[in-house]
Amino acid sequence: MSDPIIVVPYDFSWNQEFKSIGLEIRQALGELAIRIDHIGSTSIEGLDAKPIIDIQISVRSFKPIEIYKTKLENIGFIYRYDNPDLTKRYFREKLRRKRIHIHIREFGSWSEQFSLLFRDYLRTNEDDCRKYAEVKYDLMKQYRNERDRYVEGKEPIIWEIMSRASKWSQVTGWKPGKTDM
């Protein structure tokens, strides 16, 4: 990905964009998708973010990938074979479409739960949202054209937030709510 890192103020249209895409995905995958959730910074009202809609699809198993791959390709997404993260299967939009990242994760897996807990916790904590946004703006200035370094630079704040989210989950008895779609 060679496009520059751009963080922008929260846009209320992001939720509607997710709903539109999520409905398309739900119609394509039906019951193959146990959950379809809006994740990432665009899913947290008020949080400044890169204007990329992240969608997590929870499935029983990655295999056979062809079931999901064909259905998602038919609605305009491309399977990224080069994704090094083995906890998910990753799809992107076709050329000349708005940026969308689709993360297929196994239902109940640590990586699926991590994304949902991070999102849900930040939806309840304005201070951590503000701190996270500040770090993202600082990293954007430092690494505007170095996506890997931008992503690596976010790791300390993400783990700091997740430490508090873990404690919050224990106090509240957190578990994922209903699927977004």
Side-chain angles (χ1 to χ4, degrees):
M1 292 184 269
S2 60
D3 50 332
I5 302 292
I6 298 171
V7 177
V8 299
Y10 180 80
D11 185 335
F12 284 92
S13 72
W14 290 337
N15 191 45
Q16 188 54 46
E17 288 178 48
F18 161 75
K19 286 179 181 177
S20 176
I21 299 160
L23 180 59
E24 192 176 4
I25 292 169
R26 173 58 71 199
Q27 290 170 341
L29 295 180
E31 295 303 312
L32 288 172
I34 299 169
R35 298 182 64 98
I36 299 173
D37 293 291
H38 189 185
I39 61 167
S41 295
T42 61
S43 71
I44 301 159
E45 188 174 316
L47 180 58
D48 298 354
K50 295 187 313 291
I52 299 168
I53 305 298
D54 283 287
I55 298 173
Q56 178 169 272
I57 301 170
S58 302
V59 298
R60 295 216 184 285
S61 174
F62 290 141
K63 295 179 182 177
I65 188 65
E66 289 74 24
I67 293 173
Y68 314 109
K69 182 178 172 292
T70 301
K71 291 178 183 293
L72 290 171
E73 286 176 343
N74 286 341
I75 60 170
F77 297 99
I78 300 169
Y79 180 51
R80 297 297 300 263
Y81 292 95
D82 57 344
N83 172 44
D85 182 349
L86 299 181
T87 68
K88 69 179 180 182
R89 302 302 178 258
Y90 181 58
F91 290 77
R92 287 278 309 273
E93 75 290 342
K94 286 187 178 178
L95 290 175
R96 296 180 195 80
R97 276 188 75 177
K98 181 167 175 31
R99 288 283 296 276
I100 300 164
H101 296 173
I102 296 179
H103 314 266
I104 296 182
R105 293 189 169 106
E106 290 183 315
F107 180 71
S109 68
W110 186 83
S111 60
E112 180 221 27
Q113 298 291 297
F114 184 100
S115 296
L116 295 172
L117 174 58
F118 189 76
R119 176 199 69 184
D120 290 354
Y121 171 75
L122 282 178
R123 285 178 173 174
T124 69
N125 194 297
E126 289 182 33
D127 288 342
D128 275 337
C129 281
R130 183 184 38 75
K131 289 175 190 172
Y132 189 37
E134 288 171 3
V135 168
K136 290 192 296 183
Y137 278 113
D138 288 344
L139 292 169
M140 176 186 74
K141 290 174 190 168
Q142 292 177 52
Y143 304 120
R144 189 171 187 89
N145 295 302
E146 300 175 72
R147 184 165 303 276
D148 289 342
R149 294 193 70 190
Y150 171 85
V151 170
E152 288 171 14
K154 290 191 313 179
E155 285 185 19
I157 188 71
I158 288 170
W159 286 108
E160 181 183 318
I161 290 169
M162 280 304 286
S163 175
R164 287 189 288 277
S166 176
K167 291 173 185 148
W168 172 82
S169 75
Q170 294 169 28
V171 169
T172 63
W174 175 86
K175 55 185 168 183
K178 291 182 180 179
T179 181
D180 290 340
M181 187 61 49

